């Protein structure tokens, strides 16, 4: 799906997403926060100076980036300028861009791409990931979060979500291959989101389950 289509959804992004997820599974903010919390726990004591939210959209991750990384400079990039207007309202201190040329020369300690790559046409994904590697500062790291196509509930929600109509899910195996092709030298990965709200007390076990391809989403942490 390209930017004009996302421009259409910018105003009601949260609402459209909420409608696609059944009430029993919907936890406003949880899905955005868990990614940033996971990233923070994997970065441990590392304090990134600059963080780029690649494909930040309407800025759902930005408040959590602000919460978990209060000292970092926050940047967002998205093709959809209409979405960036909402992101700017969410976190006014974030610096937002829709033109890659404006950030291509900058260097970031961390880049996060949350549910972005399944919206990028397959033929353009490697180029996008390579661009993300090239803007990393020395020792910088990239975190990619994607839906797990092997989880039936994820598939069901994906098929109901209007802005996923033209999207194509990215298997973890393909993401790992792409990460090597893009020139990253090391990666760590795992499946996440195994338990719904009703079983939230079990979420502490998720790191031990990360090899089981049943989590609703997965992450790949890359370094060059
Ligand atoms: C499902 S939304 C996710 C937004 C945000 N990351 C989040 O977690 O809420 C996907 C976003 O990816 C953006 N996008 C699609 N292709 C892109 C590309 N090639 N470069 C940057 N952003 C892109 C879309 O405009 C859209 O805002």
């Amino acid at each position: 799906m390209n930017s004009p289509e996302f421009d259409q959804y910018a105003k009601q992004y949260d609402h459209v997403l909420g409608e696609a997820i059944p009430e029993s599974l919907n936890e406003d903010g949880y899905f955005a926060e868990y990614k940033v919390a996971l990233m923070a726990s994997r970065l441990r004591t590392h304090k990134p100076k600059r963080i780029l939210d690649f494909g930040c959209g309407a800025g759902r991750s930005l408040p959590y980036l602000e919460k978990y990384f209060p000292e970092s400079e926050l940047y967002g990039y998205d093709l959809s300028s209409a979405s960036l207007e909402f992101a700017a309202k969410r976190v006014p201190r974030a610096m937002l861009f829709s033109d890659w040329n404006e950030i291509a020369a900058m260097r970031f300690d961390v880049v996060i791409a949350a549910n972005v790559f399944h919206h990028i046409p397959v033929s353009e994904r490697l180029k996008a990931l390579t661009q993300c590697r090239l803007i990393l500062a020395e020792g910088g790291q990239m975190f990619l979060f994607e839906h797990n196509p092997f989880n039936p509930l994820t598939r069901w929600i994906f098929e109901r979500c209007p802005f996923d109509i033209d999207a194509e899910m990215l298997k973890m195996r393909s993401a790992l291959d792409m990460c090597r092709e893009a020139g990253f030298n090391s990666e760590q990965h795992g499946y996440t989101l195994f338990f719904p709200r009703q079983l939230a007390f079990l979420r502490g076990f998720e790191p031990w389950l990360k090899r089981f391809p049943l989590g609703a989403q997965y992450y790949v942490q890359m370094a060059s």
Side-chain angles (χ1 to χ4, degrees):
M1 180 170 284
N2 56 30
S3 59
E5 283 159 303
F6 257 97
D7 278 355
Q8 265 183 63
Y9 288 109
K11 203 168 168 185
Q12 320 145 314
Y13 182 82
D14 290 359
H15 177 72
V16 174
L17 189 64
E19 290 280 293
I21 302 175
E23 172 55 30
S24 57
L25 297 176
N26 207 345
E27 297 168 79
D28 196 35
Y30 175 71
F31 296 113
E33 182 165 11
Y34 99 85
K35 299 180 186 76
V36 179
L38 187 146
M39 195 173 98
S41 78
R42 299 199 59 81
L43 288 169
R44 299 191 183 91
T45 55
H46 180 65
K47 286 197 165 43
K49 185 168 176 287
R50 282 183 171 171
I51 301 177
L52 174 69
D53 188 354
F54 177 86
C56 63
R60 281 173 68 83
S61 300
L62 287 172
Y64 301 107
L65 288 170
E66 194 169 43
K67 174 176 165 186
Y68 287 83
F69 301 97
E71 288 158 32
S72 303
E73 289 171 21
L74 301 181
Y75 293 78
Y77 167 73
D78 202 289
L79 299 176
S80 162
S81 315
S83 299
L84 293 181
E85 284 174 28
F86 289 88
K89 286 187 194 128
R90 270 199 167 114
V91 175
R93 80 172 176 90
M95 284 159 275
L96 304 171
F97 298 89
S98 59
D99 180 353
W100 188 259
N101 293 323
E102 290 184 52
I103 56 168
M106 295 186 198
R107 292 296 172 263
F108 299 91
D109 304 292
V110 171
V111 175
I112 174 174
N115 298 346
V116 178
F117 274 76
H118 62 268
H119 290 287
I120 302 179
V122 175
S123 61
E124 294 170 25
R125 289 179 184 171
L126 178 59
K127 182 176 171 219
L129 190 64
T130 307
Q131 282 181 322
C132 289
R133 182 181 65 74
L134 293 173
I135 54 161
L136 283 180
E138 201 172 331
Q141 303 199 36
M142 164 135 193
F143 288 81
L144 180 109
F145 289 88
E146 276 299 324
H147 297 317
N148 175 16
F150 297 117
N151 178 303
L153 212 51
T154 300
R155 280 218 85 89
W156 186 75
I157 294 170
F158 182 82
E159 276 151 26
R160 274 164 52 105
C161 193
F163 52 69
D164 281 333
I165 279 173
D166 296 334
E168 191 176 322
M169 281 202 257
L170 172 63
K171 289 184 194 137
M172 191 206 265
R173 186 70 263 155
S174 308
L176 296 176
D177 289 345
M178 192 169 73
C179 141
R180 275 184 290 278
E181 284 175 60
F184 287 99
N185 291 321
S186 69
E187 53 79 5
Q188 295 177 60
H189 55 270
Y191 291 95
T192 59
L193 285 181
F194 290 86
F195 303 109
R197 179 170 64 199
Q198 295 77 359
L199 298 175
F201 60 96
L202 293 173
R203 283 177 180 162
F205 292 105
E206 293 203 340
W208 282 278
L209 298 172
K210 68 181 188 179
R211 298 286 164 227
F212 292 96
L214 286 176
Q217 299 199 340
Y218 66 85
Y219 70 89
V220 183
Q221 177 181 359
M222 297 161 249
S224 42

